[in-house]
Amino acid sequence: MPVPLIKSAIHPSKRKIRALLTTGAMFVALVTGTLAQEKPWAERAIKAHTKQDNLRGELPAIVLEELRLRGEALFTAKFTRADGAGRPLATQESEPAKRSKAPRELFDRASGPDANSCSGCHNQPATGGAGEFVTNIFISEANAADLAPIPVPSLAPSLVNERGTTHIFGAGLIELLSREMTAKLHAIRDNAIARARGENRSIRAALDTKGVSFGELIALPSGELDVSGVEGISHDLIVKPFGQKGVFVSLREFTVNVLNHHHGMQAQERFGFEQTGELDFDGDGVTTEMTKGDVSALVAWQAGLPAPHIQEPDDDEWRQAAAQGRLVFEQFDCGTCHISKLPLESLKFADPGPYGAKGTLSNSDVAEPAIYDLGLIDWVAKLERNAEGQVLVPLFGDLKRHNIADEGEPLANEQLAQRGVQPGIFMTAELWGMSDTAPYGHRNDLVTINEIISAHGGEARNARDNYLNASQTDRSALIAFLKTLKISP
């Protein structure tokens, strides 16, 4: 019998799957079976967990679509205590850590859990989108969990950084770009080391990939590296494309982190018995909260979200202004960091990926990674390709960290580093979808495009000054262009 589908908003996809099932197409069961509370009114958001064992190799289109439907159902689910929501004896830290005492309340805006569902914050203009100021969250490099349930002191900038919700449309393409860029940087590094040893001399190597420069390194004959010239990336030369500071290597790492932080839903791959020696690490009475397969479903859904696009306005005046704005975008040097398109070699998304993070599923944990071919998804066919057949990802970004904050300016409000990335340094924000994701800034407190451009400093100061010193016509034209960067029609 076919596996019953979890309810989803993607009704055409559901009909397509059912049609394929009834025509005898091969189908691999993805669920472990229904849970104990099977009645329709049971107060459980997760009706069945997804199996990881059947997720290996390149998934057929029908299986990928079913997995993505399950991921969407989890992304929109409002988790309850029956699912395991809450973490009375666990902290919000990325590594499993215990509280000294359980909090009095399930939710806490300062240290979390602070949301019922992923879509509670990621919802503008659609599920998977951004959030406004009300959805801001608080993160801390240090463990501030023991301050709960006294939230006010833990909101101080000396203890936490406040962050706005960003959209995740096109996230699969972003991760694929980062993997290819990392592979190229590692190849440059390894070649330099081999040459330095073989030629018994220092070798200087430019760290350039996909038109983005990450500075340079010097390989010494001893095999050691001088990385003082490396720019915009950690010394491991792994491009980490997620998080506003560019500190998460994959959708999987980010998903496992936020499930615990925002919902108190622990992923087995990080909080399970093999990792912690406990069946119920957070002490909430639920031993299986998010299986490896559940996380895979969430990753597959996010990875397949369509890329934002440039939408040509119907209004003649706006269309003409946007065309002029596209030109001044480059004239103002905005395109130096906000590169309009980066080339992508392959649409095959492996999960787990090649650059795993501690506490997430890795290649050594599975017999074979699952491959999600994003080329099987309809919207991918609309993406532009170059003469070499590479997909041109229209992200308006460079996947590189930059210092963009001048002291005393709005973007310089943070006091804490995050995973070693100092205050004022942020990953270049991808501008695709900008029209649909106001407000702006890492704190969602700049409400117009003019405000966020004017707030740029540091390495972006020249572009900002070009904008501020331009004519009102050119400034207006730039905003007209940026307003065409849409997530949805």
Side-chain angles (χ1 to χ4, degrees):
M1 291 181 61
V3 178
L5 295 173
I6 292 178
K7 289 184 177 181
S8 165
I10 310 180
H11 301 302
S13 299
K14 290 168 65 177
R15 288 195 297 271
K16 178 180 178 182
I17 289 175
R18 286 172 178 152
L20 288 169
L21 290 173
T22 58
T23 58
M26 183 186 300
F27 184 60
V28 180
L30 294 180
V31 297
T32 60
T34 56
L35 300 175
Q37 297 183 26
E38 297 181 351
K39 297 185 184 301
W41 58 87
E43 294 191 285
R44 184 193 295 274
I46 303 175
K47 306 301 183 184
H49 289 295
T50 305
K51 295 173 65 174
Q52 181 67 30
D53 293 347
N54 291 329
L55 301 176
R56 61 178 65 182
E58 192 165 324
L59 302 188
I62 186 174
V63 179
L64 176 57
E65 186 66 11
E66 167 67 359
L67 183 65
R68 294 194 65 245
L69 285 169
R70 295 192 180 282
E72 183 195 29
L74 289 170
F75 196 90
T76 56
K78 292 181 173 63
F79 302 116
T80 73
R81 289 184 187 272
D83 299 305
R87 42 177 165 77
L89 296 180
T91 74
Q92 78 272 38
E93 299 304 298
S94 57
E95 295 188 12
K98 292 283 193 180
R99 291 180 184 266
S100 59
K101 60 182 179 180
R104 292 175 297 189
E105 305 293 342
L106 173 61
F107 294 104
D108 188 312
R109 288 288 292 134
S111 61
D114 52 11
N116 301 98
S117 67
C118 304
S119 59
C121 294
H122 292 278
N123 54 41
Q124 295 183 15
T127 301
E132 58 177 291
F133 187 81
V134 72
T135 66
N136 282 9
I137 58 94
F138 303 90
I139 58 174
S140 173
E141 188 84 335
N143 182 358
D146 285 339
L147 293 172
I150 310 172
V152 175
S154 63
L155 297 183
S158 59
L159 293 173
V160 296
N161 292 326
E162 185 177 357
R163 296 286 168 75
T165 302
T166 58
H167 78 80
I168 50 176
F169 282 87
L173 299 178
I174 292 288
E175 184 165 342
L176 288 175
L177 281 172
S178 74
R179 293 178 184 182
E180 291 183 0
M181 294 171 80
T182 297
K184 179 63 181 295
L185 294 175
H186 284 186
I188 293 171
R189 177 197 62 193
D190 296 346
N191 180 64
I193 292 174
R195 284 189 59 198
R197 285 173 168 165
E199 300 174 22
N200 195 32
R201 65 185 182 91
S202 297
I203 298 294
R204 187 182 301 270
L207 296 170
D208 298 335
T209 173
K210 297 187 185 294
V212 180
S213 172
F214 291 91
E216 64 176 17
L217 57 74
I218 301 173
L220 306 177
S222 63
E224 297 177 306
L225 292 172
D226 178 352
V227 294
S228 59
V230 174
E231 302 172 355
I233 192 172
S234 301
H235 292 163
D236 59 9
L237 300 184
I238 296 177
V239 177
K240 302 177 178 71
F242 300 115
Q244 296 191 41
K245 303 282 277 188
V247 294
F248 297 101
V249 70
S250 66
L251 282 170
R252 192 165 197 110
E253 180 190 12
F254 190 75
T255 297
V256 170
N257 272 34
V258 299
L259 281 170
N260 176 65
H261 187 140
H262 300 306
H263 311 303
M265 296 290 292
Q266 284 74 45
Q268 284 187 315
E269 61 198 74
R270 181 172 299 175
F271 296 90
F273 183 80
E274 293 181 359
Q275 291 71 31
T276 65
E278 298 184 41
L279 292 173
D280 180 19
F281 182 81
D282 64 338
D284 62 2
V286 181
T287 57
T288 302
E289 300 187 15
M290 299 296 293
T291 66
K292 297 172 184 177
D294 291 335
V295 176
S296 295
L298 279 164
V299 169
W301 183 75
Q302 293 173 86
L305 284 172
H309 60 280
I310 299 176
Q311 181 173 314
E312 186 171 320
D314 294 328
D315 181 84
D316 288 341
E317 183 181 8
W318 187 354
R319 186 164 56 250
Q320 293 171 13
Q324 175 63 17
R326 182 69 182 90
L327 296 176
V328 301
F329 181 85
E330 299 299 337
Q331 293 169 6
F332 290 169
D333 293 331
C334 303
T336 302
C337 297
H338 296 286
I339 301 173
S340 61
K341 299 170 186 175
L342 293 183
L344 178 65
E345 297 283 349
S346 174
L347 290 166
K348 303 293 180 69
F349 187 102
D351 185 31
Y355 307 105
K358 183 179 180 182
T360 59
L361 199 68
S362 68
N363 287 325
S364 63
D365 298 321
V366 296
E368 182 182 7
I371 306 295
Y372 313 143
D373 184 357
L374 302 188
L376 298 173
I377 304 176
D378 292 343
W379 61 264
V380 176
K382 300 177 183 178
L383 293 175
E384 181 184 356
R385 292 178 181 262
N386 61 18
E388 290 74 36
Q390 298 168 316
V391 173
L392 297 179
V393 182
L395 74 168
F396 288 90
D398 61 2
L399 304 186
K400 178 181 175 181
R401 301 178 191 136
H402 298 271
N403 181 358
I404 61 166
D406 287 335
E407 187 174 354
E409 296 294 327
L411 297 181
N413 66 309
E414 294 191 349
Q415 299 179 24
L416 299 178
Q418 183 182 1
R419 296 194 176 191
V421 181
Q422 296 303 306
I425 297 176
F426 293 90
M427 175 75 77
T428 300
E430 293 87 29
L431 299 185
W432 60 356
M434 186 175 192
S435 176
D436 290 323
T437 54
Y440 307 108
H442 56 264
R443 192 171 169 264
N444 270 352
D445 56 351
L446 301 172
V447 297
T448 65
I449 293 176
N450 175 68
E451 287 177 40
I452 184 60
I453 297 175
S454 302
H456 280 57
E459 296 172 53
R461 187 184 300 112
N462 181 62
R464 176 201 65 189
D465 290 347
N466 288 337
Y467 170 79
L468 293 177
N469 295 329
S471 68
Q472 181 58 40
T473 299
D474 281 350
R475 291 172 60 177
S476 177
L478 177 60
I479 293 173
F481 166 66
L482 294 174
K483 285 284 191 176
T484 68
L485 304 184
K486 302 285 291 182
I487 283 177
S488 59

